[in-house]
Amino acid sequence: MHRSVFVAITLTATALAAAGFATAAPPPDRVSVSAKFELYRPGARGITYDPQLVAVGAKASVTAIARAEKTRVVLTVRGLVPNRKYGSHAHQKPCGQNAADSGPHYQHVVDPVQPSVDPAYANPRNEIWLDFTTDEKGSALASSTVDWKFTDRRAGSVVIHAEHTHTEPGHAGMAGPRLSCISVPF
């Protein structure tokens, strides 16, 4: 007679690390980043790709707070073009030399069809949308609260776009050219 024995072992991240296995650090409950926009240079946290619409020297800050299965992200900007509409979203990767380096929008539930323009996926409940309109001084504040928290898959930046975000099928999530980027370690 042959018997099988099944043993379940649960290892914590600490135990795995002690055993030499790499583990992803849990996402932080709070992240806050401030940046002054500049032309690309390695290590820059805030990059402008269009100095006409996001001037060198303009400033931004991003704060993300995760609590009770919700995430709130707040974006503040100063020194942008006054009385102008901008779109803004969390993107998958950190900023880079080229505007496209930050990858597509971060989606909690990823659309299997990319680029994602389906309102079932490209929407402010599944993505972090931070559209804003600047005041007469070029300042604005935008916030977004979603009913989920980052896991081991996280966003890496907030990108400011040329126009408010579209919501109609075939264009959902689109907001024009990428003007600037702030790297955020969500």
Side-chain angles (χ1 to χ4, degrees):
M1 178 186 244
H2 180 267
R3 279 197 236 173
S4 296
V5 177
F6 176 75
V7 178
I9 299 174
T10 303
L11 293 175
T12 65
T14 304
L16 287 169
F21 292 95
T23 60
D29 288 335
R30 181 182 177 91
V31 173
S32 190
V33 171
S34 294
K36 189 180 284 191
F37 291 106
E38 57 185 292
L39 298 176
Y40 175 79
R41 69 170 176 76
R45 187 169 295 267
I47 300 167
T48 181
Y49 303 110
D50 186 338
Q52 297 284 352
L53 297 177
V54 178
V56 170
K59 296 177 182 177
S61 67
V62 176
T63 300
I65 300 170
R67 283 199 188 114
E69 298 308 311
K70 291 184 183 281
T71 302
R72 178 179 167 93
V73 180
V74 177
L75 168 67
T76 59
V77 296
R78 293 185 311 177
L80 275 62
V81 175
N83 303 309
R84 188 178 193 296
K85 294 179 180 181
Y86 291 87
S88 186
H89 316 100
H91 281 248
Q92 292 180 7
K93 301 176 186 176
C95 310
Q97 183 171 3
N98 301 303
D101 290 346
S102 58
H105 294 181
Y106 177 89
Q107 294 182 319
H108 180 61
V109 176
V110 179
D111 186 343
V113 177
Q114 294 293 321
S116 180
V117 292
D118 180 347
Y121 294 93
N123 65 64
R125 295 168 311 284
N126 192 44
E127 301 181 348
I128 296 173
W129 290 10
L130 298 158
D131 290 4
F132 60 89
T133 301
T134 54
D135 64 15
E136 64 280 351
K137 295 180 180 179
S139 298
L141 177 122
S143 68
S144 173
T145 301
V146 291
D147 292 332
W148 44 266
K149 290 170 63 173
F150 291 106
T151 60
D152 59 334
R153 190 176 60 81
R154 305 176 207 168
S157 61
V158 170
V159 172
I160 297 174
H161 294 265
E163 54 196 52
H164 277 183
T165 309
H166 298 273
T167 57
E168 66 277 3
H171 298 280
M174 299 175 82
R178 298 176 190 203
L179 305 177
S180 63
C181 183
I182 307 115
S183 289
V184 182
F186 284 98

